[in-house]
Amino acid sequence: MGRNLPRDLKVLSGAFFFLFMGAGAQQQFLLPHLRETTSWGTMQYSLILATVYISFMFWRLGIGYSIRALGEYRSIVLGSLTYTAFVGTVLSSRSYPLTLAIALLWGWGAASLWTTGGTRVLNISRRERYGTSSGVLYLCTGLGFTLGVVALGATRTRWGGDAMYGLALGLSLAGNLVLLFLSRGGVLPPHRPLGEVLKLMRTRRVKMVGSLQFVSALSFGLLLGTVADFLPQAYGWRSLLLTASFPLARALTSLGGGTLSDRIGRGKVLALALGTSGLALLTSAGWTTPLSLGLGILILGCQSGVVPTTSLALAGDVAEPERRPLVLGAMFFWRDLGVVTAILGGQYLRVALGTIRAPLIAFGLIFLACAVWSLKLEEVR
């Protein structure tokens, strides 16, 4: 299959592999790292990661202006540099205002990278291969995240947090360098992109896909927030290696889920992914052991691989090339809101009620409800 992949898809996939092996994977360790190296409170250090996704969320709506000003190529390259800048800031500074400011900047960079990168993938792919091409990008992203969690976790255990962040910085820089081989040019979004995005957000299909994106993203936010903070406290730093199963499962199901959605329909694939993850969360809430949590993390990773890949393919189905950045912004705005909700909401429920079971049960029931709802996706146009 590799010989038939467009060159730019290979470059983007390689860059995402290194970026998420470094800056992406360090998110899994960020909250416990900040808890141990600063005097910030639980909600205060949780807000750092939440701010990345709050900024990411709002830039989804207005990123069209930035893309028109910078062009597609510079939007991708400059967006990737903010990933590296955040890692460098955590490594070198303990200033809360500075870290918060760089988190806001990273949110813009993430919106720029993912929107323009996703648009480029769709525009260089044939219509019948949207799901497969999207799956390749997410496969490489997930594999990078997986190897990053293992490598960074081992480095943290043996040499400490600064060595871990030094490694994450080097890996992120490698991703920046790979993007220099990307083709110049690209498609610019229409004028008045914010108005177009808000109009798209009112369409029935985007509303439904956006809602499913929101619910699916709760799993990623839960992993980065509540689970990442709970595991080292309950079972030691080595237990965070369990979280490597999440990006691994996400990577493997990204390709398979995207291809399957091309064949049997987007709604059926989403329903299967959400229903299984809902049952997994409820099981983990009943037995909060490393084994049950590890199994739950694995299944959540499968769901997290299927839903974004299928949604990216949907953007290709319903939009012309110049409107794809806007459709992606309208759909994935809700995904970022879901991550923020899970990071802050999950941490609040755990602190307020004194148990990790509360957020697991709440989010598990939401997943099951939305699994049924997603079956109606094929009926919505």
Side-chain angles (χ1 to χ4, degrees), residues 72 75 122 128 150 178 188 193 199 246 251 288 297 319 334 336:
E72 191 175 275
S75 295
L122 293 174
E128 67 273 12
V150 174
V178 171
L188 295 179
K199 182 179 178 181
F246 181 95
T288 53
I297 290 168
W334 302 106
D336 304 324

Side-chain angles (χ1 to χ4, degrees), residues 16-363:
F16 276 53
F17 174 84
F18 285 109
L19 284 170
F20 282 85
M21 193 175 178
Q26 64 81 31
Q27 294 176 90
Q28 196 61 69
F29 304 92
L30 179 63
L31 298 195
H33 177 76
L34 293 178
R35 186 184 68 240
E36 291 191 357
T37 59
T38 70
S39 58
W40 308 337
T42 300
M43 297 308 296
Q44 195 176 17
Y45 64 70
S46 298
L47 184 61
I48 294 292
L49 188 56
T51 296
V52 175
Y53 287 93
I54 292 171
S55 175
F56 195 177
M57 175 179 69
F58 284 108
W59 272 109
R60 292 278 197 186
L61 303 181
I63 201 63
Y65 294 102
S66 172
I67 296 171
R68 287 194 63 83
L70 295 173
E72 191 175 275
Y73 173 77
R74 283 193 292 271
S75 295
I76 293 173
V77 172
L78 293 176
S80 77
L81 289 173
T82 65
Y83 283 66
T84 308
F86 182 85
V87 175
T89 301
V90 174
L91 176 62
S92 62
S93 175
R94 294 294 179 267
S95 167
Y96 191 78
L98 176 61
T99 308
L100 203 61
I102 299 300
L104 284 167
L105 178 64
W106 189 12
W108 167 80
S112 184
L113 179 66
W114 275 106
T115 302
T116 49
T119 300
R120 178 71 68 94
V121 167
L122 293 174
N123 291 346
I124 61 178
S125 303
R126 300 194 307 272
R127 184 179 186 88
E128 67 273 12
R129 290 179 63 85
Y130 286 157
T132 301
S133 295
S134 303
V136 169
L137 180 68
Y138 279 97
L139 171 66
C140 292
T141 302
L143 286 176
F145 203 122
T146 303
L147 294 175
V149 169
V150 174
L152 296 180
T155 302
R156 167 62 180 77
T157 301
R158 185 161 186 175
W159 291 293
D162 286 349
M164 175 181 72
Y165 270 88
L167 176 59
L169 182 64
L171 291 167
S172 301
L173 283 169
N176 300 145
L177 291 174
V178 171
L179 283 174
L180 297 179
F181 295 94
L182 193 67
S183 300
R184 270 61 170 175
V187 178
L188 295 179
H191 290 284
R192 301 179 184 175
L194 179 58
E196 290 289 324
V197 171
L198 295 176
K199 182 179 178 181
L200 283 166
M201 291 177 75
R202 293 193 292 270
T203 63
R204 291 184 67 200
R205 174 163 280 209
V206 170
K207 279 182 181 178
M208 187 165 191
V209 174
S211 300
L212 295 173
Q213 283 278 13
F214 171 84
V215 172
S216 171
L218 294 176
S219 62
F220 189 46
L222 191 65
L223 185 79
L224 296 181
T226 303
V227 174
D229 212 18
F230 169 79
L231 283 175
Q233 289 178 307
Y235 303 110
W237 271 90
R238 289 182 183 275
S239 64
L240 273 177
L241 292 175
L242 287 171
T243 61
S245 64
F246 181 95
L248 178 61
R250 181 168 62 178
L252 297 177
T253 54
S254 291
L255 184 58
T259 303
L260 186 63
S261 74
D262 286 339
R263 296 178 179 176
I264 70 170
R266 317 298 187 200
K268 294 183 181 69
V269 172
L270 291 172
L272 177 63
L274 290 166
T276 306
S277 60
L279 293 174
L281 277 184
L282 294 178
T283 301
S284 296
W287 297 275
T288 53
T289 64
L291 179 61
S292 65
L293 287 171
L295 180 61
I297 290 168
L298 177 68
I299 295 174
L300 287 177
C302 293
Q303 178 248 90
S304 188
V306 169
V307 177
T309 304
T310 305
S311 297
L312 182 57
L314 271 167
D317 292 340
V318 302
E320 297 302 316
E322 67 275 5
R323 290 174 60 83
R324 284 171 182 164
L326 309 182
V327 174
L328 290 175
M331 286 182 175
F332 282 86
F333 169 89
W334 302 106
R335 174 259 185 190
D336 304 324
L337 181 60
V339 175
V340 172
T341 300
I343 291 173
L344 296 180
Q347 285 286 69
Y348 177 79
L349 286 173
R350 185 172 74 91
V351 172
L353 300 178
T355 175
I356 194 175
R357 287 188 173 91
L360 296 180
I361 292 171
F363 295 148

